[in-house]
Amino acid sequence: MLKREDIDKIEKKALQHRKMNDLGIESPIGNKIFDIIENQYDSFLLLYPLKSKNIAGFTRKQGEFIQVFINTSFDKGFQNFACAHELYHLIQFQEKEIDSFIVCSNKDISETLDEENIHQEELKANYFAAAFLLPKEIVVERFKKIEELYYFEEDFILEIIKLQYQYEVPFKTILKRLKELEIINEIQYGKLKIYEDNIIEYCKMMDESVYNNIKTLESPDTRKYHTLNVPKTAADVYKNNIISFSKLESIINKYDKKITDFNINKPQIKPISIDFSSFGIGDDDDHDE
């Protein structure tokens, strides 16, 4: 569990970095977190769906080289949260000017209240991710009317969905944020958490754009991307006769690309024609007994 002093520092750091990126307090980040990591923090981004969900992401720094990886087998909303989590590690590496490599499991990047066996730095990264994606002022302002008016539980759920739609974060991230900011207590958190598996059904009460957006957030996109554009780089290397065609194919297939996407055609293999007569070898018919 984080100390109040740590929480206040993280809230301040998250707000500071939003302002550094001209995001202010109200601007939703959501899926733009990937562009922010790549362009605002001069980092290499690698997005790829792993067969296993044990690894959610990692951040690696070697000198001036910084790489952030996100496993796109997870739901898109979780990917946004995971990327903001990795941003915390990236910032720490930059501020301390240290080379390091942190691999985060699906248990490290947690959006729930279950913080058992999670390292302090991972808890800080989780809190930063929530504060960066969902600024305190926005959440407090949005839900302060809950204290003034009597709301049915269903209306509360729909209010969370609206925030989820606008800020492109997981339902449970908002729920945890409400608990962290003491807008709801632990009992209310437990009651609301049971709705998590039926969010799509509640979205049907809202307009179609909300329904479609939340449905997308709740699904993986299995995106394959690298800042260096690995398939294009491999194609350029092949054109310079540095790698074989089979090697090129094996690389670009990993990114769901085809050789024709790079104006390359499969080389034609011509059969070798050899005249064996000069070796005294002919057809069987030439050797009648």
Side-chain angles (χ1 to χ4, degrees):
M1 189 171 181
L2 296 176
K3 298 177 182 177
R4 171 49 58 183
E5 180 184 357
D6 291 327
I7 289 173
D8 292 340
K9 284 182 179 178
I10 294 170
E11 288 278 4
K12 185 177 179 180
K13 181 186 287 287
L15 186 58
Q16 174 192 357
H17 278 267
R18 283 185 70 98
K19 290 179 178 178
M20 281 172 52
N21 294 299
D22 297 322
L23 296 167
I25 295 175
E26 297 185 1
S27 299
I29 296 174
N31 193 52
K32 291 195 289 290
I33 184 66
F34 299 103
D35 293 330
I36 291 171
I37 287 275
E38 188 174 35
N39 300 313
Q40 301 300 109
Y41 291 88
D42 297 324
S43 303
F44 292 92
L45 188 65
L46 172 59
L47 308 176
Y48 202 86
L50 301 180
K51 292 182 180 179
S52 169
K53 287 189 175 182
N54 290 333
I55 296 176
F58 68 68
T59 301
R60 177 175 59 176
K61 181 177 182 294
Q62 292 178 303
E64 296 299 314
F65 176 84
I66 299 178
Q67 184 179 42
V68 171
F69 164 76
I70 300 296
N71 182 356
T72 57
S73 291
F74 288 93
D75 296 348
K76 286 187 71 176
F78 178 85
Q79 290 179 44
N80 294 342
F81 183 86
C83 201
H85 174 108
E86 296 303 329
L87 175 58
Y88 174 84
H89 292 313
L90 184 157
I91 292 169
Q92 292 297 98
F93 294 166
Q94 287 182 332
E95 289 179 346
K96 296 179 180 179
E97 296 184 351
I98 57 172
D99 288 357
S100 190
F101 185 20
I102 291 184
V103 178
C104 302
S105 71
N106 58 343
K107 294 180 180 178
D108 293 327
I109 302 179
S110 172
E111 312 140 290
T112 68
L113 294 182
D114 184 11
E115 298 178 342
E116 189 177 352
N117 299 322
I118 299 180
H119 191 275
Q120 280 289 106
E121 281 302 298
E122 300 299 352
L123 291 178
K124 291 178 181 179
N126 286 331
Y127 198 98
F128 174 88
F132 189 69
L133 297 174
L134 283 171
K136 177 179 178 180
E137 289 82 352
I138 292 297
V139 181
V140 171
E141 178 67 26
R142 185 68 64 91
F143 287 91
K144 71 177 182 181
K145 59 187 175 183
I146 303 298
E147 299 175 356
E148 301 167 359
L149 301 171
Y150 178 77
Y151 258 60
F152 291 108
E153 214 164 74
E154 190 175 84
D155 296 321
F156 201 100
I157 294 297
L158 295 181
E159 197 66 36
I160 293 175
I161 290 174
K162 276 195 264 182
L163 197 64
Q164 184 182 7
Y165 164 70
Q166 292 170 335
Y167 285 81
E168 296 184 335
V169 294
F171 175 85
K172 52 190 174 185
T173 297
I174 300 173
L175 207 56
K176 184 182 180 184
R177 191 82 171 122
L178 292 171
K179 172 64 177 64
E180 290 171 339
L181 297 174
E182 299 180 348
I183 294 172
I184 61 174
N185 57 37
E186 197 157 345
I187 294 174
Q188 291 170 312
Y189 174 89
K191 286 182 179 180
L192 293 169
K193 191 177 184 300
I194 63 175
Y195 291 96
E196 182 186 337
D197 295 331
N198 297 313
I199 281 300
I200 298 299
E201 291 302 311
Y202 280 90
C203 289
K204 292 178 180 178
M205 298 182 185
M206 309 180 83
D207 65 81
E208 190 175 357
S209 63
V210 174
Y211 173 78
N212 290 335
N213 181 275
I214 300 299
K215 195 172 180 181
T216 299
L217 281 176
E218 296 282 318
S219 306
D221 61 357
T222 62
R223 184 182 173 192
K224 298 176 181 179
Y225 172 80
H226 196 294
T227 299
L228 296 178
N229 195 347
V230 174
K232 174 64 167 60
T233 302
D236 291 342
V237 170
Y238 168 76
K239 289 174 182 178
N240 285 299
N241 300 314
I242 297 174
I243 61 173
S244 66
F245 180 79
S246 61
K247 182 64 175 178
L248 169 64
E249 274 193 316
S250 70
I251 293 173
I252 66 173
N253 286 345
K254 290 179 182 178
Y255 289 85
D256 297 331
K257 294 288 186 182
K258 294 183 265 185
I259 58 171
T260 52
D261 295 334
F262 304 96
N263 298 316
I264 296 174
N265 295 314
K266 187 172 183 178
Q268 296 296 317
I269 301 176
K270 297 180 180 179
I272 301 174
S273 178
I274 301 177
D275 182 5
F276 287 100
S277 61
S278 60
F279 297 95
I281 301 174
D283 295 331
D284 290 341
D285 292 341
D286 296 334
H287 298 280
D288 295 333
E289 294 180 0

